[in-house]
Amino acid sequence: MTTSAYPIDTLRAELPALDWITEPHRVENLSRDFAWYSPVLERTLAGKHGDIAVRPRSEDEIRAVVGACARLAIPITLRGTGTGNYGQCTPLHGGLILDMSAYNAFLWARPGVGRAQAGIRLAAFDDAARPLGWELRWLPSTFRSATLGGLFGGGFGGAGSLRYGPLAAPGNILAVRAMTVEPEPQIIELRGPEALVMHHVYGTNGIVLELEVGLAPAHDWLEGVATFDDFDAALRFGADLGRAPGLVTKEVSFMAAPITDYFTKLGLPQGRHAVVFLAAEFCEETIAQMLAERGGTLSYRATAAEVAASRRTLLEYVWNHTTLHAFKVEKNLTYIQSAYNPSCYLEQVRTLAQRFAGEVQMHVEFLRTKEGEYSCSGLEIICTRDETRLAEIMQAYRDSGVVINNPHTCYVEEGKQNLKLNPQVLAMKQRFDPQGLLNPGKLKSWAPAQPLAQEPAHA
Amino acid sequence: MTTSAYPIDTLRAELPALDWITEPHRVENLSRDFAWYSPVLERTLAGKHGDIAVRPRSEDEIRAVVGACARLAIPITLRGTGTGNYGQCTPLHGGLILDMSAYNAFLWARPGVGRAQAGIRLAAFDDAARPLGWELRWLPSTFRSATLGGLFGGGFGGAGSLRYGPLAAPGNILAVRAMTVEPEPQIIELRGPEALVMHHVYGTNGIVLELEVGLAPAHDWLEGVATFDDFDAALRFGADLGRAPGLVTKEVSFMAAPITDYFTKLGLPQGRHAVVFLAAEFCEETIAQMLAERGGTLSYRATAAEVAASRRTLLEYVWNHTTLHAFKVEKNLTYIQSAYNPSCYLEQVRTLAQRFAGEVQMHVEFLRTKEGEYSCSGLEIICTRDETRLAEIMQAYRDSGVVINNPHTCYVEEGKQNLKLNPQVLAMKQRFDPQGLLNPGKLKSWAPAQPLAQEPAHA
């Protein structure tokens, strides 16, 4: 017997065969992600959780529970495996946690395109696609456990965005199969630009069941860390390596000293400026020639076979895993997300690194934007959790012409969308979630026809 | 009995088993390429030809003839199949034409890398590599007959440079095996940056025997022509298509009206601005979505299977084949080669197209530079063969900040090198051709220790 504001017991009684999770500590765990990176989110999301969770195994089970929630006016918050950083799976108004992680079949891969159910783990997708010669175009550092649907719901891209840009670039997401939240849920295939309207809105405007995505040719990836005495030499090497058209690179990031000192298991020299990279093994000779010309040292190197044998991959040292390694050494940290200007990113990185020396540890990921412009995005480590100072630093970034994709908010409009919400997002919500039951409160621009029937008990 | 200034008969008598070509009209044909595109080169190279040609079939045969030439002080001009445009195979001082086209074995392909003898035709290389899942990274429009050695000796890149940049980008040319011109020729493997010192110098500083090159994953390529009413809509579509990070494109070119009207066999609508492209077949849906958004029409489309069946490929309509199709309709033409500025290429294209309306037909190829900057290069059709006006137009381009890679010269320094010859080129010549016998006269900066022993009879 739960004490929810919603008719949770009725819901469960209607569908007794489903895989329900009811123990409070398990439901609380399923209501959390890695939002604790942010002091702001840690504070604002404290105590928020669902009332019950369910882990459907088939489209029929999803349809049954979604239809019941629509009839019973119970909010639904989608969840993959909870590796996000913005609290997308944390319900602001209780209700049902719809854990998609058991709905995870790999469906097919053809040249350049693959399709799977939303709950598939990214690593499982790659395990299935690689024997066919293909792999996912982008891997966040959480790829071992993160789901494809979760990445689509609240992710940007990751390793591979260097070449293929973010998920949002045309050609990366080809289609989604999505379900409406109605007493009789409909299932609709959205293709191309229409599919992207459900991207990065935290599951607020439709339930994504399957994704059809562009694939990349699979290569054997060499993993390396090049280190330098000089900040600028390292930064320029990273920028040039990631942009070099004759090299096939999947990941290039620049980490100023002392960031790689946090990577205690890699045996790197201390206090060096570093470039972490994944490149096709056949590029190694050329990279060694470039490094020799520029005075860099290859301080870590692992072939694809060595990575497979050790299960240690630098993919778990880049993007927001960099920050995670820092947290293992020092708790009084947070981070920001920044998007540098393609026309002057190196100057901006240099200037901000100098201005905030000792306070901001510079970490940028080289990538291509949605339009294909080469640039870098920052996941800078901020050496304080003071919210006032954090806000000042973010404002100083903005004043320098660097876009902040604020990771210290759980609201759709205030994060990557930067207050410029595509109006199609709301039209899609009207179409797929007319009752406003999906992750209520996250999409602030949505004005429901009528508020949720009952005030949540623990808001 | 030839009437050369060199001891040609002695040379031939020393090596009777070689495949000699002596008939004057055949030797003259083997002394020519497509330099007639240029009124300047047509005039300056008129009447220049070798005294004899030889077509060796093995490294031993090459070594034998090169050693003999060194002993007899006979100039050697290398030749592939004569598809170049700068007269690189036309000897200024007679001597031997060393036709490499029978030295053409495919050696091997591994993931991302392949190796072949210099005389291999590019199409034959791809025929051998594709069953292994790989293909050449760049194909000039002459790929059916052009050789890999010839491309290295005087080419830039071609289709594929959109993604992989020019041959000169690090990682594209991994090594060459090269022979010195000495009485006892040496064979030396040059790797990485050292190999590139023999690139685009018209065979003046070494005899390239084999090339080891980066390969690209082979895809089934869709070929298409998108047409537009509006110049700017077509130009922007081409620029955006070629840069789109989620699309796998091999070729994107923009051709202002009326250029595609020259393509009489393609059945295109007349008077339209066009974007000619090759994209992986799996990108077709996304490209159709982009075209629909931008008001373009797909006026020509052929799948990889259709291309294979018909043997008609748009690869033979782009780069300098565009100009060739124009010549089939109108003789009073020539062309220029321009390199637009990555920071403002669209503005430059628009401005110059307007300024020279009716006189310059705008044709640009989208590509990545050696450093990986996205831009475009022009192969503009010039509607006159008047050399004074041609020079004025090229100067106007330069004055607008567009680099001219002058195709109206046969001298190494005056073409793509733009008078900034890498001093390593001369050091390499000293090492590989101390007597100055390779293609004498083309590398103007080379001051031989002693002039050629005899004045050529037909200089």
Side-chain angles (χ1 to χ4, degrees):
Chain A
M1 191 75 173
T2 60
T3 57
S4 169
Y6 309 108
I8 296 295
D9 295 327
T10 311
L11 175 68
R12 191 177 165 200
E14 278 192 20
L15 299 163
L18 266 58
D19 182 11
W20 294 103
I21 297 103
T22 58
E23 299 93 317
H25 75 279
R26 290 184 64 203
V27 176
E28 282 172 34
N29 278 341
L30 292 174
S31 304
R32 279 206 285 264
D33 64 4
F34 286 77
W36 57 263
Y37 278 33
S38 162
V40 183
L41 291 178
E42 184 176 52
R43 174 172 56 73
T44 56
L45 297 177
K48 305 286 186 196
H49 59 80
D51 300 302
I52 192 168
V54 69
R55 192 172 286 141
R57 292 150 293 204
S58 68
E59 197 169 277
D60 283 346
E61 289 192 351
I62 298 170
R63 190 201 306 259
V65 75
V66 168
C69 283
R71 288 190 300 276
L72 297 169
I74 298 174
I76 302 168
T77 298
L78 287 158
R79 174 192 168 83
T81 48
T83 58
N85 289 104
Y86 320 128
Q88 71 166 322
C89 71
T90 304
L92 299 181
H93 298 286
L96 174 73
I97 303 288
L98 184 58
D99 179 340
M100 297 290 283
S101 64
Y103 188 65
N104 59 17
F106 179 81
L107 298 174
W108 50 258
R110 296 193 292 249
V113 189
R115 188 158 171 138
Q117 293 174 345
I120 193 169
R121 291 174 191 238
L122 300 171
F125 190 111
D126 267 357
D127 287 345
R130 276 186 147 268
L132 306 170
W134 298 91
E135 62 181 32
L136 286 168
R137 291 181 173 182
W138 358 256
L139 285 186
S141 62
T142 52
F143 69 97
R144 261 192 228 282
S145 52
T147 65
L148 185 58
L151 175 65
F152 180 73
F156 165 84
S161 291
L162 177 59
R163 172 159 288 224
Y164 291 98
L167 270 73
N172 282 338
I173 301 291
L174 298 175
V176 298
R177 178 177 169 88
M179 185 182 283
T180 63
V181 179
E182 297 176 284
E184 296 295 329
Q186 304 173 64
I187 293 175
I188 297 167
E189 176 95 354
L190 303 174
R191 297 201 68 86
E194 224 184 4
L196 280 176
V197 179
M198 288 194 183
H199 170 50
H200 214 285
V201 293
Y202 307 159
T204 55
N205 67 352
I207 294 173
V208 174
L209 301 170
E210 296 176 8
L211 294 104
E212 186 176 316
V213 300
L215 300 182
H219 294 298
D220 286 331
W221 298 107
L222 176 79
E223 305 196 345
V225 182
T227 65
F228 294 79
D229 285 328
D230 182 56
F231 180 100
D232 206 51
L235 179 63
R236 280 185 287 108
F237 175 73
D240 291 347
L241 176 63
R243 197 177 53 188
L247 297 176
V248 178
T249 45
K250 179 167 178 159
E251 163 67 24
V252 177
S253 54
F254 164 76
M255 300 178 196
I259 291 178
T260 59
D261 296 351
Y262 299 128
F263 302 167
T264 52
K265 293 183 181 169
L266 297 188
L268 299 173
Q270 296 287 293
R272 305 265 289 171
H273 305 285
V275 172
V276 181
F277 67 87
L278 269 73
E281 288 186 352
F282 53 77
C283 298
E284 182 168 12
E285 180 183 3
T286 305
I287 292 173
Q289 289 158 353
M290 285 177 67
L291 260 181
E293 285 168 7
R294 289 150 180 266
T297 302
L298 190 62
S299 299
Y300 178 92
R301 173 187 178 278
T303 64
E306 288 165 347
V307 168
S310 70
R311 291 181 57 82
R312 172 179 291 159
T313 167
L314 295 183
L315 289 172
E316 293 179 311
Y317 286 84
V318 295
W319 292 84
N320 230 350
H321 260 67
T322 309
T323 319
L324 187 62
H325 289 283
F327 277 123
K328 290 177 184 169
V329 176
E330 169 61 52
K331 301 296 173 206
N332 189 31
L333 297 175
T334 187
Y335 80 117
I336 58 174
Q337 292 182 181
S338 56
Y340 290 85
N341 187 317
S343 69
C344 55
Y345 57 93
L346 291 182
E347 293 79 353
Q348 289 178 329
V349 169
R350 284 183 201 115
T351 301
L352 287 164
Q354 283 173 9
R355 172 160 173 194
F356 292 108
E359 197 170 13
V360 173
Q361 295 176 350
M362 189 54 74
H363 164 204
V364 298
E365 297 280 341
F366 294 98
L367 49 69
R368 291 202 161 74
T369 68
K370 188 156 57 77
E371 293 77 23
E373 291 189 292
Y374 186 71
S375 185
C376 64
S377 278
L379 287 147
E380 294 90 343
I381 295 172
I382 309 296
C383 299
T384 176
R385 283 177 79 83
D386 181 272
E387 292 184 29
T388 306
R389 186 58 184 150
L390 174 61
E392 288 169 0
I393 292 170
M394 289 199 290
Q395 191 56 46
Y397 264 68
R398 293 188 189 99
D399 294 343
S400 303
V402 177
V403 173
I404 293 288
N405 294 319
N406 187 2
H408 303 287
T409 174
C410 66
Y411 302 109
V412 167
E413 293 87 343
E414 295 175 4
K416 190 166 76 85
Q417 317 265 356
N418 265 308
L419 309 180
K420 296 185 290 283
L421 188 72
N422 175 357
Q424 294 177 307
V425 167
L426 296 175
M428 193 68 86
K429 185 165 178 75
Q430 182 60 43
R431 178 176 173 196
F432 275 79
D433 181 29
Q435 295 171 257
L437 293 173
L438 285 172
N439 211 347
K442 299 284 178 61
L443 189 62
K444 294 175 86 169
S445 317
W446 169 257
Q450 51 188 72
L452 289 175
Q454 298 157 277
E455 277 305 296
H458 44 64
Chain B
M1 192 75 174
T2 61
T3 57
S4 167
Y6 309 108
I8 296 296
D9 295 327
T10 310
L11 175 68
R12 191 178 166 199
E14 278 191 20
L15 299 164
L18 266 58
D19 182 11
W20 295 102
I21 297 104
T22 57
E23 299 93 317
H25 75 278
R26 290 183 65 202
V27 176
E28 282 173 33
N29 278 341
L30 292 175
S31 303
R32 278 206 286 264
D33 64 5
F34 285 76
W36 58 264
Y37 278 32
S38 161
V40 182
L41 291 179
E42 184 177 51
R43 175 173 54 75
T44 56
L45 297 177
K48 306 285 186 195
H49 59 81
D51 298 304
I52 192 169
V54 69
R55 192 173 285 143
R57 291 149 293 203
S58 69
E59 198 170 276
D60 282 347
E61 288 193 351
I62 299 170
R63 190 201 307 257
V65 74
V66 167
C69 283
R71 287 191 301 277
L72 297 170
I74 298 174
I76 302 169
T77 298
L78 287 158
R79 173 193 169 84
T81 48
T83 59
N85 289 105
Y86 320 128
Q88 71 167 322
C89 72
T90 303
L92 299 181
H93 298 285
L96 174 73
I97 303 287
L98 185 58
D99 179 339
M100 297 289 282
S101 64
Y103 188 65
N104 58 18
F106 179 81
L107 298 174
W108 50 259
R110 295 192 293 250
V113 189
R115 188 160 172 136
Q117 294 174 345
I120 195 170
R121 291 173 190 240
L122 300 171
F125 190 111
D126 266 358
D127 287 346
R130 276 188 147 265
L132 307 169
W134 298 90
E135 62 181 32
L136 286 168
R137 291 181 173 182
W138 358 257
L139 285 185
S141 63
T142 51
F143 69 96
R144 260 192 229 283
S145 51
T147 66
L148 185 57
L151 176 65
F152 180 74
F156 164 85
S161 291
L162 177 59
R163 172 159 288 223
Y164 291 98
L167 270 74
N172 281 340
I173 299 292
L174 298 176
V176 298
R177 178 177 169 88
M179 184 182 283
T180 63
V181 180
E182 296 176 285
E184 295 295 328
Q186 304 172 62
I187 294 175
I188 298 166
E189 176 94 355
L190 302 174
R191 297 200 69 85
E194 222 185 6
L196 280 175
V197 179
M198 287 194 184
H199 170 50
H200 214 285
V201 293
Y202 307 160
T204 55
N205 67 352
I207 295 174
V208 174
L209 301 170
E210 296 176 9
L211 294 104
E212 187 176 317
V213 301
L215 300 183
H219 295 297
D220 286 331
W221 298 107
L222 176 79
E223 305 196 346
V225 182
T227 65
F228 295 78
D229 285 330
D230 183 56
F231 179 101
D232 206 50
L235 179 64
R236 280 186 287 108
F237 175 74
D240 292 348
L241 176 64
R243 197 178 53 189
L247 296 176
V248 178
T249 45
K250 179 167 178 160
E251 162 69 24
V252 178
S253 54
F254 164 75
M255 300 178 196
I259 291 179
T260 59
D261 296 352
Y262 299 129
F263 302 168
T264 51
K265 293 182 181 170
L266 297 187
L268 299 173
Q270 296 286 294
R272 304 264 290 170
H273 305 285
V275 172
V276 180
F277 66 87
L278 269 73
E281 288 186 353
F282 53 78
C283 297
E284 182 167 14
E285 181 182 5
T286 306
I287 293 173
Q289 290 158 354
M290 285 177 67
L291 260 182
E293 285 168 7
R294 290 151 178 264
T297 303
L298 190 61
S299 299
Y300 179 92
R301 172 188 179 277
T303 64
E306 289 165 347
V307 168
S310 70
R311 291 180 56 81
R312 172 179 292 160
T313 168
L314 295 183
L315 290 172
E316 293 179 311
Y317 286 84
V318 294
W319 292 84
N320 230 350
H321 260 67
T322 310
T323 318
L324 187 62
H325 288 283
F327 276 124
K328 289 177 185 171
V329 176
E330 168 61 52
K331 301 297 173 206
N332 189 31
L333 298 175
T334 186
Y335 79 116
I336 59 174
Q337 291 183 182
S338 56
Y340 290 85
N341 187 317
S343 69
C344 56
Y345 57 93
L346 291 182
E347 294 77 356
Q348 289 178 328
V349 169
R350 284 183 200 115
T351 302
L352 287 164
Q354 283 172 10
R355 172 160 174 193
F356 292 108
E359 195 170 14
V360 173
Q361 296 176 350
M362 188 56 73
H363 164 204
V364 297
E365 298 281 341
F366 294 98
L367 49 71
R368 290 202 162 75
T369 68
K370 188 156 59 77
E371 294 77 24
E373 290 187 293
Y374 186 72
S375 186
C376 63
S377 278
L379 288 147
E380 294 90 341
I381 296 172
I382 309 298
C383 300
T384 176
R385 284 178 77 83
D386 180 273
E387 292 184 30
T388 305
R389 186 59 184 150
L390 174 62
E392 287 169 0
I393 292 170
M394 290 200 290
Q395 192 54 46
Y397 264 68
R398 292 187 189 101
D399 293 343
S400 304
V402 177
V403 172
I404 292 289
N405 294 320
N406 187 2
H408 302 288
T409 174
C410 66
Y411 302 109
V412 168
E413 292 87 343
E414 296 175 4
K416 189 164 77 84
Q417 316 265 357
N418 265 309
L419 309 180
K420 296 185 289 285
L421 188 72
N422 174 358
Q424 295 177 307
V425 168
L426 295 175
M428 193 67 85
K429 184 164 177 77
Q430 181 61 44
R431 179 176 171 197
F432 276 79
D433 182 29
Q435 294 171 257
L437 292 174
L438 285 173
N439 211 347
K442 299 284 178 63
L443 188 62
K444 293 174 87 169
S445 318
W446 168 258
Q450 52 188 71
L452 289 176
Q454 298 158 276
E455 277 304 296
H458 44 64

